[in-house]
């Protein structure tokens, strides 16, 4: 298996990358990949059965990967004794690394991205009912052994049997706490992340067994929480976890084992302290079903300004002007543009101007691209040179993050691609760049973040990734004459952000420079800018146009930037 090649969960990738000499484990892994592909297809119309099949397929795939790693280790050991070639030993070593590190990460990502049908388990009646909540905890216990969840725990009384916990792969722990407050009248809360081996490993701690429940607190520490959780699980007849371990800031602060006694120090539930007030303020921005009771919320903010009215008549005229031009566009672009025109017409007929506008923008951009002359070869060479420069910065960052050998290999290949460009071998160079980008992304995912938790560094790294995709698009859109495309070609991502980029960068700088009382103010302003930028990403038509461009260029803006915003929020929380 080639070092740095990005893992792909399909048979074609495995047939290309599988090392020679694997017997039963190689065939079993291929079979597990096939089963995963079928189960993944079943999620197009997800129901409980499809989700269960998908989780089962991922379990089988992880188990098959462990067997491949073990057989590869056995082969490596025997072939070292036989003094096999260095390349063969590296092949086996890379296979072991992929199966033990990259595969579990990929499986975790697949689990985190799958649809969730457990909303009904979080309804107020089911939370309050001990029998139904016990069933919910039993079902969740199995999932906690596979991936990390956000969680909240609420105490309506000092009796462990009255305590309640909620888990969710995506919803924030603070939101779950608000739901507990409403459902069972919980007076004290805490929240954070829950899991077993996966969470402990993610936090850089010692590997825990699957029977240890790890709770990493982001909220307050409740005295005796580990014992309270253990006793609650016992009363709910949950036997999946023999030990409960509480972490704060990555360090263990509490723990409870199988033989825990039932004596508990009472905890003052009635005195309101600042941590309770913070929780209530932060739940105020959640959806209604996740908020604390209305009488305890902060006063509502002023309503947002009404959305700007969309001129449907003007959109109809733009569509009418565009349709006759489609006939002159040859396949395959012509039929695709005709589909867009049909989609826009249906939306306008239904009175959905907001939905029709981005479709018409894509149609106009496609027509403009079809009418524009192809970019001269030197423009393509400059575009590829610019991408190489950006990749060079990412390669250097990998070296600083400790992946020195891998970075050296990437740098050597970048030099080879540069030689191709100088020789005019543009097609080969572009294909090599695409491969190198994929391998660098895989290596970046495999390395520990080198930003040290610095929000500005997190953002710069993500923007660099997004800019690489936009740079690949630039030569296709430059000179077309469409105003939106010209802005992107001239200014890159900054051409689409309408000032959001400048405001967010300033807030990041201010946060890094602030100290003492000023840090709190800077944190609030940064949180506001993160929220504003997230809104821009979700609704901006230029971002949509870049990612769904009619040129077939792969551009991912929302992926890396959205993940960076998530990390920044976690860092400043």
């Amino acid at each position: 298996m080639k070092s740095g090649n990005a893992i792909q969960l399909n048979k074609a990738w495995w047939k290309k990358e599988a090392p020679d000499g694997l017997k039963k484990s190689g065939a079993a892994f291929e079979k597990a990949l096939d089963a995963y592909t079928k189960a993944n297809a079943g999620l197009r119309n997800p129901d409980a059965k499809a989700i269960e099949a998908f989780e089962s397929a991922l379990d089988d795939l992880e188990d098959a990967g462990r067997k491949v790693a073990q057989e590869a280790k056995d082969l490596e050991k025997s072939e070292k004794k036989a003094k096999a070639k260095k390349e063969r030993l590296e092949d086996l070593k890379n296979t072991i690394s992929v199966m033990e590190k990259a595969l579990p990460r990929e499986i975790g990502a697949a689990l985190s991205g799958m649809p969730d049908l457990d909303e009904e388990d979080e309804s107020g009646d089911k939370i309050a009912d001990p029998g139904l909540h016990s069933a919910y905890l039993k079902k969740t216990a199995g999932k906690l052994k596979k991936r990390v969840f956000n969680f909240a725990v609420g105490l309506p009384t000092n009796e462990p049997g009255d305590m309640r916990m909620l888990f969710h792969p995506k919803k924030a722990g603070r939101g779950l706490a608000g739901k507990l407050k409403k459902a069972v009248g919980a007076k004290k809360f805490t929240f954070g992340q829950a899991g077993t081996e996966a969470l402990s490993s993610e936090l850089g701690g010692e590997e825990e067994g699957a029977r240890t429940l790890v709770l990493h607190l982001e909220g307050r520490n409740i005295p005796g929480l580990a014992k309270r959780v253990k006793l609650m699980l016992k009363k709910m007849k949950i036997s999946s976890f023999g030990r409960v371990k509480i972490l704060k800031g990555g360090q263990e602060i509490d723990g409870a084992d199988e033989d825990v006694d039932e004596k508990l120090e009472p905890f003052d539930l009635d005195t309101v302290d600042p941590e309770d007030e913070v929780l209530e303020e932060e739940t105020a921005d959640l959806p209604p079903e996740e908020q604390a009771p209305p009488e305890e919320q902060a006063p509502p903010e002023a309503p947002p300004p009404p959305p700007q009215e969309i001129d449907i008549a003007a959109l109809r005229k733009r569509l009418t002007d565009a349709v006759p031009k489609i006939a002159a566009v040859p396949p395959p672009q012509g039929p695709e543009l005709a589909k867009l025109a049909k989609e826009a017409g249906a939306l306008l007929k239904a009175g959905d101007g907001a939905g029709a506008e981005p479709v018409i923008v894509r149609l106009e951009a496609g027509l403009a691209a079809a009418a524009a002359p192809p970019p001269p070869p030197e423009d393509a060479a400059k575009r590829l040179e610019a991408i190489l420069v950006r990749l060079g910065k990412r390669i250097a960052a990998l070296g600083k993050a400790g992946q020195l050998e891998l970075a050296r290999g990437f740098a050597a290949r970048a030099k080879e691609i540069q030689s191709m460009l100088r020789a005019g071998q543009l097609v080969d160079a572009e294909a090599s760049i695409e491969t190198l980008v994929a391998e660098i992304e895989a290596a970046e995912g495999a390395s520990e973040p080198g930003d040290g938790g610095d929000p500005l560094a997190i953002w710069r790294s993500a923007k660099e990734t997004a800019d690489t995709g936009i740079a690949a698009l630039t030569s296709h859109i430059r000179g077309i004459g469409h105003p939106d495309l010209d802005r992107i070609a001239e200014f890159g991502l900054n051409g689409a952000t309408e000032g959001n980029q400048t405001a967010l960068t300033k807030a990041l700088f201010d946060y890094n420079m602030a100290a003492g009382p000023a840090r709190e103010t800077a944190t609030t302003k940064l949180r506001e800018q993160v929220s504003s930028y997230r809104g821009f990403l979700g609704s901006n038509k230029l971002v949509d146009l870049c990612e769904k461009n009619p040129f077939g260029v792969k551009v991912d803006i929302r992926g890396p930037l959205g993940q960076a915003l998530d990390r920044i929020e976690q860092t400043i929380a």
Side-chain angles (χ1 to χ4, degrees), residues 181-198:
K181 183 181 182 73
K182 185 176 181 181
V184 295
K187 298 177 180 178
K188 296 291 180 183
F189 322 83
T190 193
F191 51 87
Q193 290 186 306
T196 54
E197 301 106 320

Side-chain angles (χ1 to χ4, degrees), residues 436-457:
L436 183 57
V437 167
E439 294 180 16
I440 289 173
E441 286 176 351
E444 288 171 336
S447 64
E448 289 295 325
D451 47 57
D454 175 8
L456 183 59

Side-chain angles (χ1 to χ4, degrees), residues 361-395:
V361 168
R362 287 167 59 195
L363 172 60
E364 291 171 337
L367 288 170
E378 58 268 21
D379 278 1
K382 288 178 181 177
R383 171 176 62 86
L384 296 176
E385 284 277 7
I387 293 174
L388 267 186
V389 170
R390 294 182 183 277
L391 291 180
K393 295 178 182 178
R394 292 167 68 179
I395 291 169

